[in-house]
């Protein structure tokens, strides 16, 4: 433990293998409570910002503002991910999260200022988007690492469940709040509230104070070599590269393109319009909340089976969504898809955090994020070309069926099938 850090308080020391694993266990730790509260506010502010920016772009007839902000954000995130993981592993999660949140405060405040001025400077907007993306790319691997610095392994599943619940709740609340504020107070105020969410998150991490982290002696390697160390570690462990590759297939074939294909498929098969698709999305979000609440009760299922058996169920659900002519049945399937997808992703995060060495978690998490974020835009770009070969429902069903086979096969790979929860290993 670094001599520069303050000692843990009695209530925050890492518990032994008998530590509680219920959903409330991580919340008994002050620093985690502050970090978690900050992220609830930050994620809500992020959704308020997204909805406010999109709404302003539509109503003000300024599509360039939205397009350049999103382009800059996506570019910055991809550019920073590998370096962000290396920085987190080298300097600790807290320092990187503080700098990342500061970057996001400045970026979102810059966008709000551009909107207040009429949004005329395309380059300034793109620069703000780039800074926002750099902050996102640095923050995510650091946040993943922070869980392992603050909690014992037996509480990681519960902590990730709480995070999944917060993300879904923030999406619902932030979208609604952004729309209300945009209509009632205008874009500058609603975008300013998004900035406030990041600022409050930064303040709460500061309030938590420095927390104990294991000593991480300098490797002597440059940042680039350290960043690529995560890639080397992933490919030296079959359970990791097989798992990340399988997730990449599911994202590329189902999760990402479904955003474009499902609205079209539901219109063709169910005969509904935007309201029907909205109902499916709402049902999936409700299911995701349920999955986050219940995943902690599924510890008897080995993580490999829970994760990739769950992904097979998710892909099978999208097959049914592409075929079912019943709105009621489709709503039920969407709810199950949301719940199982949430449980699988929570279980994956906890597995990665508990099995990867602490000094590499940031970089391995960066690789995981990079694969998911990298294939998503490529998959969406491919959708229009695929639609020249078949109807939306046909394309969705075919892609989901392929991903189902890949996920089921992944669950049977010995390195994945042999994964166990930390308590079982103890």
């Amino acid at each position: 433990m670094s001599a520069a850090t303050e000692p843990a308080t009695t209530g925050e020391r890492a518990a032994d293998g008998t530590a509680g694993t219920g959903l409330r266990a991580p919340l008994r730790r002050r620093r985690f409570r502050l970090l978690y509260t900050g992220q609830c506010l930050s994620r809500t502010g992020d959704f308020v910002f997204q909805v406010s920016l999109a709404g302003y772009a539509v109503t003000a007839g300024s599509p360039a503002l939205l397009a350049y902000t999103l382009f800059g954000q996506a570019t910055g995130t991809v550019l920073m991910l590998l370096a962000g993981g290396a920085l987190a592993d080298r300097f600790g999660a807290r320092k990187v999260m503080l700098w990342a949140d500061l970057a996001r405060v400045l970026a979102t405040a810059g966008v709000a200022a551009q909107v207040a001025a009429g949004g005329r400077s395309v380059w300034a907007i793109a620069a703000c988007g780039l800074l926002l993306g750099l902050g996102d790319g640095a923050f995510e691997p650091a946040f993943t690492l922070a869980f392992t610095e603050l909690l014992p392994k037996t509480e990681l599943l519960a902590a990730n469940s709480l995070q999944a619940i917060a993300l879904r709740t923030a999406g619902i609340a932030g979208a609604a709040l952004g729309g209300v504020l945009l209509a009632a107070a205008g874009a500058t105020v609603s975008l300013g509230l998004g900035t406030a969410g990041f600022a409050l998150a930064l303040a709460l991490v500061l309030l938590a104070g420095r927390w104990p982290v294991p000593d991480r002696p300098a490797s002597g390697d440059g940042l680039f070599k350290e960043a690529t160390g995560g890639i080397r570690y992933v490919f030296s462990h079959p359970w990791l590269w097989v798992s990340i590759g399988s997730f990449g297939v599911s994202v590329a074939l189902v999760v990402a393109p479904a955003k474009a294909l499902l609205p079209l498929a539901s219109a063709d098969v169910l005969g509904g319009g935007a309201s029907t698709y909205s109902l499916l999305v709402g049902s999936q979000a409700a299911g995701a909340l349920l999955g986050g609440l219940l995943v902690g009760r599924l510890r008897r299922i080995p993580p490999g089976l829970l994760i990739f058996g769950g992904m097979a169920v998710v892909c099978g659900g999208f097959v049914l969504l592409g075929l079912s002519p019943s709105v009621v049945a489709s709503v039920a399937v969407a709810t199950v898809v949301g719940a199982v997808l949430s449980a699988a992703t929570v279980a994956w995060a906890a597995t990665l955090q508990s099995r990867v060495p602490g000094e590499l978690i940031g970089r391995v998490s960066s690789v995981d994020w990079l694969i998911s974020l990298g294939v998503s835009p490529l998959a969406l770009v491919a959708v229009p070309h695929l639609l020249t070969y078949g109807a939306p429902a046909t394309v969705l069903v075919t892609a989901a069926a392929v991903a189902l086979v890949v996920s089921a096969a992944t669950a049977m790979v010995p390195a994945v099938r042999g994964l166990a929860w930390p308590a079982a290993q103890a």
Side-chain angles (χ1 to χ4, degrees):
M1 185 178 294
S2 172
T5 56
E6 61 176 326
T9 61
T10 303
E12 292 185 316
R13 290 194 186 101
D16 58 20
T18 62
T21 56
L23 204 58
R24 290 177 293 178
L27 295 174
R28 298 189 183 104
R29 303 173 188 276
R30 174 180 172 273
R31 289 189 175 106
F32 180 82
R33 284 199 306 273
L34 290 171
L35 178 65
Y36 181 66
T37 302
Q39 287 318 295
C40 290
L41 295 170
S42 173
R43 304 288 184 182
T44 302
D46 191 21
F47 281 104
V48 169
F49 179 83
Q50 292 178 34
V51 169
S52 301
L53 185 63
Y56 172 80
V58 171
T59 57
S62 303
L65 184 143
L66 178 62
Y68 279 95
T69 302
L70 294 178
F71 174 77
Q73 184 178 7
T75 302
T77 300
V78 172
L79 289 176
M80 178 53 74
L81 268 174
L82 286 179
L87 291 170
D89 286 337
R90 180 185 286 190
F91 298 111
R94 182 176 180 271
K95 287 183 180 179
V96 175
M97 287 192 297
L98 287 173
W99 283 107
D101 272 339
L102 178 60
R104 299 195 292 187
V105 168
L106 295 174
T108 51
V111 173
Q114 284 295 313
V115 167
R120 296 183 179 89
S121 175
V122 169
W123 291 111
I125 290 167
C128 289
L130 180 66
L131 182 60
L132 180 60
L134 292 173
D136 289 342
F139 183 87
E140 293 301 346
F143 187 59
T144 300
L145 176 61
F147 280 30
T148 68
E149 293 179 343
L150 293 173
L151 301 171
K153 291 182 178 181
T154 49
E155 294 180 9
L156 290 174
L157 185 64
N160 283 285
S161 298
L162 289 169
Q163 173 62 9
I165 294 166
L167 182 60
R168 295 299 179 181
T169 305
I172 296 169
L177 186 58
V180 170
L181 282 173
L182 184 64
T188 303
V189 173
S190 56
L191 288 168
L193 184 64
T195 300
F198 289 120
L200 287 170
L202 187 155
L204 288 172
V205 174
L206 283 172
L207 183 62
R210 290 181 296 172
W211 55 71
V213 297
D215 284 323
R216 295 183 179 119
S219 65
D221 297 328
L223 186 62
F224 177 78
K225 191 170 182 180
E226 284 192 10
T228 55
I231 299 174
R232 292 193 299 272
Y233 183 86
V234 166
F235 281 100
S236 67
H237 291 75
W239 74 270
L240 263 175
W241 65 260
V242 169
S243 297
I244 291 175
S246 182
F247 268 121
V249 170
S250 294
V251 171
L253 293 181
V254 180
V255 179
K259 295 176 183 178
L261 287 172
L262 190 56
L264 302 174
S266 63
D268 287 347
V269 178
L270 297 176
S275 59
T276 302
Y277 176 64
S278 176
L279 183 60
L280 294 179
V281 172
S283 300
Q284 189 172 341
L289 282 174
L290 182 63
L293 287 167
L294 296 180
V295 64
R297 301 179 181 273
L298 303 176
R299 292 179 64 91
R300 292 183 180 180
I301 303 175
L305 180 60
L306 177 58
I307 296 165
F308 293 104
M311 290 306 299
V313 171
V314 168
C315 295
F318 277 102
V319 170
L320 294 177
L321 287 173
L323 297 174
S324 173
S326 167
V327 173
V328 173
S330 294
V331 165
V333 170
T335 304
V336 172
V337 164
V340 177
L341 180 60
S342 178
T345 52
V346 166
W348 166 247
T351 301
L352 186 149
Q353 290 164 338
S354 62
R355 295 187 65 88
V356 174
E359 68 273 14
L360 281 161
I361 287 176
R363 283 169 283 177
V364 171
S365 174
S366 293
V367 176
D368 186 30
W369 276 99
L370 191 59
I371 296 297
S372 296
L373 293 178
V375 300
S376 294
L378 296 176
L380 288 168
V381 167
V383 167
H385 301 284
L386 292 173
L387 290 177
T388 62
Y389 296 97
T394 303
V395 174
L396 178 62
V397 168
T398 303
V402 173
L404 187 161
V405 173
V406 172
S407 296
T410 304
M412 297 296 103
V413 172
V416 175
R417 192 174 67 242
L419 295 174
W421 297 113
Q425 292 174 324

